[in-house]
Amino acid sequence: MDEALLRSLTPSVLGILVRRGADFAAAEDAVQDALVEAVRVWPDDPPRDVKGWLVTVAWRRFLDATRADTARRRREDAVDDEPSPGPAPTADDTLQLYFLCAHPSLTPSSAVALTLRAVGGLTTRQIAQAYLVPEATMAQRISRAKRTVSGVRFDRPGDVATVLRVLYLVFNEGYSGDVDLAAEAIRLTRQLAAAIDHPEVAGLLALMLLHHARRAARTAPDGSLVPLAEQDRGRWDTRAITEGVEILRAALARDRLGEFQAQAAIAALHADAPTAEETDWVQIVEWYDELARLTDNPVVRLNRAVAVGEADGPRAGLAALAALDDSLPRHTAVAAYLHERDGDLSRAAGLYVEAARKAHDLAERDHLTRQAARLNARRSR
């Protein structure tokens, strides 16, 4: 059973059902039922047309539910729209579905959460971590969003800003999480950039390309994380970096700065440095100031504290960090790094151990544990 194939086809199948008149909540339930049926049936009887099979089974599940609680005329209209036998349409509806899920009846945060869950394939836990809220809170938010759009016809697509937010979070989860969605997010953002002349769309595409260019160097052969300063820059994808920088320059020239352009500018400064020691940290701090002004995001200020520590020294970074809530994700890891830079190895080692206990990602937890062990070994010499 190819779970990756099922996951990749889910948005398109869901989009077909929605376009044929199914309301979103019922369509999502029907697609999930079809996926369960696929897991049960395919090992012994794999279909020739995988997508067509999913569309047919999902539509029949939708009809079964519709027949239970709707009038006869509506049931007959739905039956008339059943997909005809034969290969399913080859058109890619994923990006359109992103817009449909960003429905005006939803708040932007609810639209993002619903799309990440229904189309992006992320778990409620992953979405909650991205939003820095408890999993139970996010589950309630997604449930409310489903109730809000239940019975709504998706004929008024949402705005670009909400779709960009979804694509950004999907890319981040694909880049560092359990499910590899980064390449799919880049593909959809390319489609969006080709369809819409918008500097923030270009900024997001540039940001994705610049981050993705470093992906091969982010992990060692044993799967452990490699910090940016220690990465083999010869393994970075120079073509992706060049493309990302060119896209970013064109976007910035339009003088309509947004958060994705500012993030891409920071990524470009990292990519432009021949070595870690030659990184222009002063400019990076200035871009973080712009980004903080645009977003007022505590995570941005956390990353800014690291940049200040590099530009002005670790004690300046610790002073910037002291102004932030210590419950922020990675706050303890940043404190450990800055204390190590300041020469306080005992304090840094203890903070690395504490940060490892708080880490959700296994690779990050292992990395922080190794950092603590390294410092303890240095202290015992």
Side-chain angles (χ1 to χ4, degrees):
M1 172 61 59
D2 191 338
E3 294 183 6
L5 175 61
L6 284 176
R7 190 163 53 244
S8 68
L9 289 174
T10 297
S12 184
V13 175
L14 184 56
I16 290 172
L17 265 65
V18 170
R19 289 205 322 275
R20 291 181 179 276
D23 70 66
F24 186 85
E28 186 191 13
D29 290 343
V31 172
Q32 293 302 317
D33 288 345
L35 294 177
V36 171
E37 185 70 4
V39 171
R40 187 183 70 82
V41 171
W42 286 8
D44 297 324
D45 186 19
R48 287 194 299 269
D49 179 7
V50 171
K51 183 177 178 181
W53 189 98
L54 287 172
V55 170
T56 299
V57 173
W59 186 257
R60 287 173 179 168
R61 292 293 188 274
F62 165 69
L63 290 181
D64 289 343
T66 301
R67 291 189 179 101
D69 58 9
T70 61
R72 179 179 180 84
R73 180 177 296 278
R74 184 172 178 181
R75 294 202 304 268
E76 292 174 349
D77 290 342
V79 171
D80 290 340
D81 285 338
E82 180 173 357
S84 57
T90 59
D92 183 358
D93 303 307
T94 307
L95 187 59
Q96 180 187 12
L97 193 58
Y98 271 64
F99 273 95
L100 294 177
C101 288
H103 197 270
S105 63
L106 296 171
T107 64
S109 60
S110 293
V112 171
L114 178 62
T115 314
L116 288 172
R117 183 70 185 92
V119 187
L122 274 62
T123 65
T124 303
R125 176 182 60 81
Q126 290 169 323
I127 302 169
Q129 290 173 3
Y131 269 90
L132 310 181
V133 299
E135 184 174 349
T137 300
M138 183 53 64
Q140 291 174 354
R141 183 179 300 177
I142 293 171
S143 295
R144 285 197 300 269
K146 288 182 180 180
R147 289 195 298 270
T148 298
V149 300
S150 180
V152 171
R153 289 301 297 258
F154 283 70
D155 53 358
R156 292 188 300 149
D159 65 357
V160 175
T162 300
V163 174
L164 289 179
R165 178 63 51 191
V166 174
L167 290 169
Y168 175 63
L169 292 174
V170 169
F171 176 81
N172 279 346
E173 190 60 41
Y175 189 63
S176 61
D178 302 328
V179 182
D180 186 359
L181 296 168
E184 173 69 358
I186 292 174
R187 184 183 71 83
L188 292 172
T189 306
R190 282 191 187 279
Q191 285 187 9
L192 187 58
I196 299 176
D197 183 20
H198 192 298
E200 271 294 82
V201 176
L204 179 58
L205 179 57
L207 176 63
M208 289 179 175
L209 290 170
L210 290 164
H211 276 308
H212 206 59
R214 303 199 301 260
R215 185 169 190 177
R218 289 184 71 247
T219 54
D222 63 358
S224 60
L225 292 179
V226 180
L228 177 61
E230 301 172 19
Q231 289 177 13
D232 177 1
R233 299 183 179 222
R235 298 185 66 195
W236 290 1
D237 185 343
T238 55
R239 289 181 61 185
I241 290 172
T242 299
E243 182 185 5
V245 169
E246 289 177 352
I247 292 171
L248 174 63
R249 284 175 177 165
L252 291 175
R254 301 177 66 175
D255 198 24
R256 291 168 55 194
L257 184 64
E259 63 175 294
F260 294 123
Q261 295 169 74
Q263 287 191 60
I266 294 169
L269 286 167
H270 283 298
D272 189 52
T275 66
E277 293 72 24
E278 296 173 87
T279 303
D280 190 343
W281 286 105
V282 173
Q283 261 205 87
I284 288 175
V285 171
E286 292 174 354
W287 275 111
Y288 270 122
D289 288 339
E290 289 285 353
L291 189 55
R293 179 182 62 80
L294 289 165
T295 66
D296 194 28
N297 187 314
V299 176
V300 169
R301 298 188 184 279
L302 182 69
N303 292 331
R304 179 186 178 277
V306 176
V308 169
E310 299 290 351
D312 301 327
R315 294 193 178 181
L318 286 167
L321 187 66
L324 303 176
D325 186 346
D326 61 9
S327 67
L328 280 171
R330 296 187 61 252
H331 185 285
T332 308
V334 169
Y337 173 74
L338 291 172
H339 277 292
E340 179 185 354
R341 290 275 323 281
D342 196 39
D344 189 346
L345 302 189
S346 176
R347 180 79 181 278
L351 287 169
Y352 276 129
V353 171
E354 182 183 345
R357 287 199 300 265
K358 295 177 179 178
H360 295 287
D361 180 73
L362 179 60
E364 182 181 3
R365 187 181 310 136
D366 289 345
H367 170 72
L368 293 168
T369 301
R370 281 193 295 270
Q371 296 295 87
R374 174 179 57 82
L375 292 189
N376 287 326
R378 283 178 58 186
R379 292 170 55 223
S380 64
R381 289 174 187 167

